[in-house]
Amino acid sequence: MGLLAASGGFTRYRIVGEVKDDILREAPDRLKKYAFVDIDGTADERSFGWVAFEDYLDTEWRTAPPEKGHYLAFSLRLDTRRISPAVLKKHLRLALDQEKEHNQAAGKNFVSKDRKKEIAERIKLHLMARSLPIPAVFEAVWNTMDHVIWLCSTNGKVQTLFEDLFTLTFELHLEPQTPAYLAERILGVERGLALEHVEPSEFGGNG
C-alpha cells in the first residue's frame, strides 16, 4: 500500500484544461463503470480497472466512497497471468512429440508450421487457464481543489495504463509534473530552459 506505507515512489500529475463540476459529481459512477473485472475463472492474460482505495477486492465501493473531503481516492488494480518460459517449452515439447507419434502412425513424417502454431496456442491457453493471475495495486489521490493527482508508481507501463484509463473514465487529460516541468513553471520558460545546460554535481567523501 504505497500511500499508506512509510515510504514509496510517486508520480505527480496535473489535469490539462477545465474540470467541470458534473465530472466530479459523477466520479463515483464513472469509477464503477470502469471498475476492475476479475479473471480468476477465465484464461485471460490481463485485466485492469478501478477499485476502492481501502480494499482492492471492493469494486463497488462498499468499504467507503472515493470522496475524502476535497480529495478523491481510488486505486488501479492490474492482474496479470504469467507462464514460465521453461514450463511453456516443456509442455509444448510434450505436445509436439505426441503429435509426431500420431503422424508417424498415420504415415506422415513431419508436423506442418500451421499445425505447430495451433498446438502452441492451445498449450498456452491451457496453461493460462491453470495459472492464477497475480494482482498489483497502485493507489491514486486527486486533489479536486488544485487538480493535482498523485499516483503511487514510477513504472512507465503503469503510468501509461493509468493515464489512458483516467482519460477514458473522466474524459480529462493528465500531464506529468516532472522536476523539469515544475522548474519551468516556477522560473518561467526562459530561465527554465537554462537548467538543461546545468552540469550535475558529484558528492562524496575522500575516504
Side-chain angles (χ1 to χ4, degrees), residues 157-185:
K157 292 182 179 179
V158 174
Q159 290 171 337
T160 299
L161 183 63
F162 176 79
E163 293 161 17
D164 291 346
L165 186 58
F166 187 92
T167 297
L168 181 64
T169 304
F170 298 104
E171 301 175 64
L172 297 168
H173 294 279
L174 296 175
E175 184 175 49
Q177 293 194 298
T178 62
Y181 167 84
L182 291 172
E184 182 177 305
R185 185 178 180 185

Side-chain angles (χ1 to χ4, degrees), residues 1 49-54 61 73-77 137-140:
M1 299 292 285
W50 307 121
V51 294
F53 183 85
E54 292 81 3
W61 280 263
F74 47 93
S75 297
L76 170 65
R77 176 175 168 183
V137 182
F138 310 94
E139 298 96 342

Side-chain angles (χ1 to χ4, degrees), residues 50-68:
W50 307 121
V51 294
F53 183 85
E54 292 81 3
D55 183 358
Y56 72 90
L57 298 179
D58 183 0
T59 58
E60 293 291 335
W61 280 263
R62 296 189 179 95
T63 309
E67 299 96 338
K68 318 290 183 188

Side-chain angles (χ1 to χ4, degrees), residues 37-38 45 52-53 56 71 86 88 106 115 120 145 147 156 160 174 181 190 196 198:
V37 177
D38 199 288
E45 190 169 354
F53 183 85
Y56 72 90
Y71 291 90
L88 180 60
R115 180 58 178 163
M145 299 292 287
H147 297 302
T160 299
L174 296 175
Y181 167 84
E190 185 175 340
E196 296 181 3
V198 175

Side-chain angles (χ1 to χ4, degrees), residues 26-38:
E26 297 166 1
D29 291 332
R30 286 174 177 262
L31 288 169
K32 289 178 182 178
K33 182 178 180 180
Y34 294 98
F36 174 82
V37 177
D38 199 288

